[in-house]
Amino acid sequence: ALAARARDLPAIRAAIVHSCDAASLAGAIEARDLDMIEPILVGPRRKIEAAAEAAGLSLTGVVIEDAPHSHAAAERAVDLVRAGAAQAIMKGALHTDEVMGAIVRDHVGLKTERRISHVFVIDAPLYPKLMLVSDAAVNISPDLLAKRDIVQNAIDLARAIGVEKPKVALLSAVETVTPKIPSTVEAAALCKMADRGQITGGVLDGPLAFDNAISRDAAAAKGIVSDIAGDADVLITPDLEAGNILAKQLVFLAGAEDSGLVLGARCPVMLTSRADGPAARIASVALAQLYVHWSEAQAAAKLAGE
């Protein structure tokens, strides 16, 4: 579905970091063949070419940026983005920490004033629409200001994939503000921040328990009156552990499919895993493609308004 939404958009230039294995190469080539990206393979040229030959993949016409090792490949990918030669980054055969380390380096990385966070986009069989979950991969125990950016990043991605006014549920264990559970207090504060324009583009409610966020019946049974309860587009979890468990149980117990992006940097980052299948990889590319074109349109509109 995500690939279908991105079908008519121009391809984006994506730096594939340390693309020295069959999985990352195959994903990049498939996305290239679908006119979704113009891949730039960054890493040791000889390893990349050997991996392509072993996998039976042709690299004809594909740009290779030679870098001696994975750390250098990550730094070179960041340089390509800073120079305007790449619009997105995709993780290849290296650790996530190496990619993110290059991105968050002071002065030479890709940090902005926005906190970097990860957003899962999940297609669960029993939920009538796509569900965004954040943050389940980057921020371990975010404070209130970090959560503000986590919410804003998720809203931006939801809008990029076509949700006009995302409904954001701020999750906790209960629905009432309880000082002994800090996430409930932070949820209430985030709602007020949205009222004051510190978070824009979406509608927030919380604290909400998970069942109330996704089930109208559960919300009604508890007497919760809310336009968001039972119809959430975005689920913001209290911390990384809760988010990671939620996302993985949806995939492994509920048969959901997932993809995701890291946002908040100067470009979207696709943290694909070696365990990801072709559908997940293409969905992540589609997310990056949709987000790049949406953010460019937003920037152009803002410039025209000024």
Side-chain angles (χ1 to χ4, degrees):
L2 289 170
R5 296 182 194 189
R7 184 174 295 133
D8 296 329
L9 295 173
I12 61 173
R13 300 181 302 279
I16 320 299
V17 183
H18 205 247
S19 47
C20 299
D21 65 341
S24 57
L25 283 172
I29 298 301
E30 183 178 2
R32 188 275 311 268
D33 292 344
L34 291 171
D35 294 323
M36 301 175 75
I37 63 170
E38 297 173 11
I40 305 169
L41 307 181
V42 187
R45 177 182 294 272
R46 295 169 71 176
K47 283 189 176 181
I48 292 172
E49 292 174 342
E53 183 178 358
L57 298 170
S58 172
L59 299 182
T60 301
V62 178
V63 175
I64 299 177
E65 285 279 339
D66 195 16
H69 46 70
S70 57
H71 284 290
E75 291 171 1
R76 180 58 183 147
V78 167
D79 290 342
L80 290 171
V81 173
R82 290 176 64 90
Q87 298 164 285
I89 287 175
M90 177 186 284
K91 171 179 168 286
L94 76 170
H95 292 296
T96 297
D97 288 350
E98 293 182 83
V99 178
M100 295 308 300
I103 289 169
V104 302
R105 286 178 64 193
D106 290 334
H107 309 303
V108 294
L110 299 176
K111 288 197 298 185
T112 67
E113 73 284 353
R114 185 87 63 84
R115 182 69 170 255
I116 290 173
S117 63
H118 182 273
V119 187
F120 272 118
V121 178
I122 295 176
D123 186 0
L126 296 181
Y127 201 62
K129 55 185 176 179
L130 293 176
M131 175 192 305
L132 282 69
V133 175
S134 189
D135 182 351
V138 174
N139 294 282
I140 297 172
S141 185
D143 61 16
L144 180 62
L145 292 181
K147 284 187 176 181
R148 178 196 61 188
D149 288 352
I150 288 169
V151 172
Q152 191 65 66
N153 286 340
I155 289 173
D156 289 352
L157 183 57
R159 293 179 65 197
I161 66 175
V163 183
E164 185 175 347
K165 194 77 170 179
K167 297 180 178 181
V168 181
L170 305 162
L171 298 184
S172 187
V174 296
E175 306 79 33
T176 53
V177 177
T178 306
K180 290 183 179 181
I181 306 178
S183 61
T184 67
V185 179
E186 291 175 344
L190 289 165
C191 290
K192 184 52 65 177
M193 292 170 86
D195 291 342
R196 296 290 185 265
Q198 293 173 272
I199 299 170
T200 61
V203 183
L204 279 62
D205 195 7
L208 289 171
F210 176 73
D211 56 345
N212 305 320
I214 65 165
S215 169
R216 292 187 187 275
D217 291 340
K222 292 189 176 183
I224 298 172
V225 178
S226 168
D227 291 333
I228 295 171
D231 192 37
D233 298 294
V234 178
L235 304 178
I236 301 298
T237 61
D239 54 33
L240 181 145
E241 291 172 305
N244 196 274
I245 291 168
L246 172 59
K248 288 181 178 177
Q249 71 181 6
L250 287 171
V251 172
F252 288 96
L253 291 180
E257 294 185 358
D258 70 317
S259 57
L261 284 183
V262 170
L263 301 175
R266 287 171 58 173
C267 76
V269 182
M270 296 165 269
L271 292 182
T272 52
S273 166
R274 295 184 189 186
D276 285 340
R281 289 178 180 272
I282 293 302
S284 292
V285 172
L287 283 177
Q289 191 181 10
L290 288 161
Y291 184 81
V292 165
H293 289 293
W294 176 84
S295 58
E296 289 181 350
Q298 294 293 307
K302 182 178 179 180
L303 187 62
E306 293 174 350

